[in-house]
Amino acid sequence: MVNKVTVKDLVCYYGNKCVLNLLNIQIMKNEILNIIGPANSGKTTFLRTLNRMNEYNLLYSYDGKIYLDGKNIFTMKVEQLRRRISMLFAMPTPFPMSIYDNIVYAPKHLKLIKSKAEQNIIVERVLKDVSLWDEVKDRLNWPAMKISGGQQQRLCIARVLAINPEVILFDEPCSGLDPISTAKVEQTMLRLKQKYTIVFVTNNVKQAFRIGDRTAFFFMGELIEINNTKQLFHSPNNKKTADYITGRFG
Amino acid sequence: MKINPKLSQQLSYCILFLVTICAITPVVFIFFLIIKNGVPNLTIKFLTSMTKDGGIFPAIIGTFTIVVCSIIIVFPVGVFAAIYLNEYAKRNLLTRLIKLAIVNLAGIPSVVYGLFGLSIFVMFCKLGVSIISGALTLSIMELPVIITTARNALNNVPYSFREASLALGMSRWQTVKYIVLPNAMPGILTGTILSIARISGETAPILFTAAAFYVPHLPHSIFDQVMTLPYHLYITSTQVPCVSKTILFGTALTLLIIVLTISLFAIIARLYFRRHRKW
């Protein structure tokens, strides 16, 4: 296993409140790393620190280092970083454009693709990657906001794939979806593991068990335990972890 | 006392309906009056001949150029200022003061802008009484309105669109240019349409800065004085004796038509942006 992202002594604050305390974590290449924990445990803060989405919040401050392939992410150009570590949000956020334009939006303006033919190839490839192609191939010029919520979320994954990132951060991507759509998103993630590294924040413990290679349990801004998913679920070392995954709290 | 729900429903419906009628009656009445009295006078000769032949052509040209010039100035400045304030400016005391100042600027009487324009553009910048002085004065008057409506329109674009775009590696400016601005455009243009109407009808700001009582020729450049429709209307109705009423109403009707024509461009642009936005 190759190390993809290394987090060293990360501390995050909102104002004076410490929301992540001395976090050390390693994310391997081509794994799905689950992050579970109750509300307010710093999961989302951690995720948004990885691609520096928190920096627009004036209250936010951090200390510590994060390396992507050995390079400090805080000294990288932020646009460059987000092309390599992209993100998917809890609610589907298609732009008010056609399905097709949603996908080619970023690659086109980032000048990753030149010809129209190349665009078509990418659209087909990424839609097939999220198994949405058969559902929408006849209506690519439809407004993206007219398709169902589950389809929208998969479209958003496709949109992320179109810029070909290395790491994809999923911030509770199934929280608003029905079970069938959830299953489709999960299948997609398992397939994407071949090519991408995935960090997956979820509130759904069962879902974490189903898809993650390793699982990290956060509680009150601290990493309580990180282990192989099966091991963590079957024999947690910490009592808090055990309580959380068995549903005694949280 | 308890009123039964059905009755209160009908009562509130009636009140709302009556208030709406009250609100639109004066407008309808004004339109009716102007059109009824103005249309007979709206001949080609009246519209295209010079003032000495009883026409209002110079005033039409004057109003049109001043309004177009000031929109050309105020639209980009206002929209860019709004983008800066909304998308880039840090939320500190200074920006809060600026925002407060902008809101307050909208409440200043227009004649004060006129005097300001006189002292700054006409005298200090030595632009003289001219189209450009008038246009600049009107621009400054409309700036707070454009900035405020543009900021509202920008605010109405969901924050999640910005985050989604940024997460794809787009820069902030690219996000504004390709996502935020196109979606805010219909709202911004609505503000612009209202501004056009207000600018066209204003007399006080151009009284000292651009308008002339009588100019025997058409303006040669933007540094010339011009006659304008609202000022012409004011002069002919108050200062010139024995002017036929139909001429006054004809002038008023022409002003209305010009406002509608210029607004039409903005309305068409707004339609274009609405079509391209696929909600």
Side-chain angles (χ1 to χ4, degrees):
Chain A
M1 277 271 177
V2 190
N3 218 340
K4 187 75 190 169
V5 180
T6 311
V7 180
K8 262 202 171 144
D9 298 334
L10 182 71
V11 185
C12 295
Y13 289 94
Y14 283 118
N16 291 325
K17 191 171 172 275
C18 178
V19 289
L20 271 184
N21 196 8
L22 278 181
L23 191 69
N24 283 288
I25 230 173
Q26 272 163 11
I27 303 166
M28 304 300 167
K29 207 174 171 204
N30 298 84
E31 76 165 345
I32 296 181
L33 174 68
N34 290 323
I35 296 180
I36 57 170
N40 249 330
S41 55
K43 308 180 302 269
T44 300
T45 305
F46 172 61
L47 209 60
R48 293 169 70 93
T49 302
L50 285 177
N51 72 343
R52 293 170 59 186
M53 286 297 284
N54 270 340
E55 286 177 17
Y56 305 108
N57 189 330
L58 291 176
L59 288 174
Y60 171 81
S61 58
Y62 68 87
D63 194 24
K65 301 238 158 58
I66 299 179
Y67 299 99
L68 171 65
D69 288 337
K71 272 201 204 120
N72 187 349
I73 67 159
F74 295 114
T75 56
M76 278 184 201
K77 260 189 86 182
V78 69
E79 289 86 17
Q80 209 61 39
L81 169 72
R82 293 197 189 124
R83 263 192 57 194
R84 298 176 64 189
I85 305 186
S86 193
M87 185 169 192
L88 203 86
F89 300 91
M91 296 310 287
T93 51
F95 299 131
M97 318 169 174
S98 68
I99 295 173
Y100 187 95
D101 288 337
N102 258 282
I103 295 168
V104 298
Y105 163 72
K108 193 167 77 188
H109 294 309
L110 294 171
K111 311 224 160 34
L112 304 179
I113 39 176
K114 283 159 202 89
S115 66
K116 181 89 181 159
E118 215 177 328
Q119 279 185 19
N120 293 338
I121 292 169
I122 286 195
V123 169
E124 185 171 344
R125 177 174 63 80
V126 296
L127 284 176
K128 278 182 175 161
D129 275 347
V130 297
S131 46
L132 194 60
W133 175 250
D134 291 327
E135 291 165 50
V136 301
K137 66 179 175 207
D138 301 321
R139 41 176 182 154
L140 290 175
N141 57 351
W142 263 41
M145 289 179 153
K146 289 255 165 72
I147 57 179
S148 78
Q151 289 174 327
Q152 285 183 16
Q153 192 60 303
R154 277 181 288 148
L155 174 65
C156 291
I157 302 177
R159 193 170 65 186
V160 166
L161 299 184
I163 59 167
N164 207 10
E166 297 159 34
V167 183
I168 308 177
L169 313 173
F170 286 80
D171 186 5
E172 300 177 31
C174 304
S175 55
L177 303 184
D178 65 287
I180 293 169
S181 300
T182 302
K184 282 185 175 164
V185 171
E186 283 177 19
Q187 284 160 15
T188 305
M189 287 170 70
L190 286 171
R191 214 165 337 112
L192 293 178
K193 199 171 78 166
Q194 317 294 330
K195 279 200 266 178
Y196 308 94
T197 303
I198 291 173
V199 185
F200 177 49
V201 163
T202 183
N203 272 323
N204 184 336
V205 177
K206 285 180 198 141
Q207 190 178 31
F209 183 70
R210 281 197 295 268
I211 65 171
D213 296 303
R214 289 193 307 150
T215 299
F217 174 64
F218 280 35
F219 183 70
M220 302 288 281
E222 297 201 30
L223 174 63
I224 304 292
E225 190 170 352
I226 178 166
N227 211 336
N228 200 310
T229 299
K230 284 220 172 74
Q231 232 156 3
L232 186 119
F233 275 79
H234 289 141
S235 51
N237 292 325
N238 192 295
K239 191 175 174 301
K240 278 192 194 123
T241 318
D243 286 351
Y244 183 71
I245 55 179
T246 50
R248 242 164 276 168
F249 86 102
Chain B
M1 186 186 81
K2 252 190 172 169
I3 311 173
N4 83 49
K6 209 172 168 193
L7 187 70
S8 78
Q9 160 75 14
Q10 271 170 353
L11 207 65
S12 54
Y13 173 81
C14 277
I15 292 170
L16 292 174
F17 182 75
L18 284 176
V19 170
T20 312
I21 292 290
C22 288
I24 60 170
T25 306
V27 182
V28 171
F29 191 65
I30 291 171
F31 260 92
F32 176 74
L33 201 70
I34 291 178
I35 290 170
K36 182 177 163 271
N37 293 309
V39 167
N41 204 45
L42 215 60
T43 56
I44 303 282
K45 185 172 172 292
F46 176 67
L47 293 176
T48 57
S49 58
M50 301 298 286
T51 321
K52 64 176 182 337
D53 306 320
I56 53 165
F57 189 56
I60 293 176
I61 295 295
T63 290
F64 190 79
T65 43
I66 284 188
V67 172
V68 169
C69 280
S70 54
I71 286 296
I72 288 173
I73 298 166
V74 75
F75 184 74
V77 175
V79 172
F80 283 121
I83 291 175
Y84 174 76
L85 285 173
N86 228 42
E87 308 290 323
Y88 289 92
K90 294 211 165 85
R91 300 217 177 339
N92 55 22
L93 190 68
L94 182 69
T95 38
R96 231 182 295 162
L97 275 176
I98 292 176
K99 285 170 189 173
L100 192 70
I102 288 169
V103 173
N104 280 323
L105 271 178
I108 292 178
S110 56
V111 69
V112 178
Y113 284 104
L115 291 170
F116 173 80
L118 175 69
S119 59
I120 297 295
F121 302 123
V122 177
M123 282 144 81
F124 182 75
C125 300
K126 299 203 167 53
L127 291 170
V129 175
S130 60
I131 293 176
I132 187 72
S133 296
L136 284 167
T137 311
L138 286 171
S139 307
I140 291 191
M141 183 188 80
E142 262 333 271
L143 207 50
V145 178
I146 296 268
I147 291 177
T148 312
T149 49
R151 281 194 53 216
N152 279 338
L154 292 170
N155 268 332
N156 282 339
V157 179
Y159 192 71
S160 59
F161 287 3
R162 295 175 177 81
E163 281 198 323
S165 172
L166 291 170
L168 291 167
M170 305 290 280
S171 69
R172 284 176 103 171
W173 172 238
Q174 283 173 319
T175 301
V176 168
K177 194 164 84 175
Y178 299 120
I179 298 290
V180 182
L181 207 48
N183 286 304
M185 228 19 165
I188 295 176
L189 287 169
T190 302
T192 312
I193 293 166
L194 294 174
S195 294
I196 290 171
R198 201 166 94 117
I199 288 176
S200 313
E202 277 293 348
T203 318
I206 51 171
L207 194 60
F208 320 115
T209 54
F213 172 64
Y214 176 69
V215 184
H217 56 80
L218 293 175
H220 301 299
S221 75
I222 52 167
F223 298 105
D224 276 1
Q225 299 190 40
V226 280
M227 299 176 68
T228 66
L229 285 169
Y231 187 57
H232 184 67
L233 192 60
Y234 167 71
I235 289 293
T236 43
S237 55
T238 58
Q239 313 286 313
V240 185
C242 326
V243 178
S244 131
K245 225 173 83 182
T246 52
I247 289 184
L248 297 179
F249 278 108
T251 312
L253 183 58
T254 316
L255 183 57
L256 274 182
I257 293 170
I258 286 188
V259 171
L260 286 178
T261 320
I262 303 176
S263 298
L264 203 63
F265 285 103
I267 291 170
I268 290 169
R270 187 170 63 177
L271 264 179
Y272 169 84
F273 281 104
R274 280 202 183 138
R275 284 265 169 79
H276 277 246
R277 182 171 67 167
K278 296 192 170 177
W279 284 96

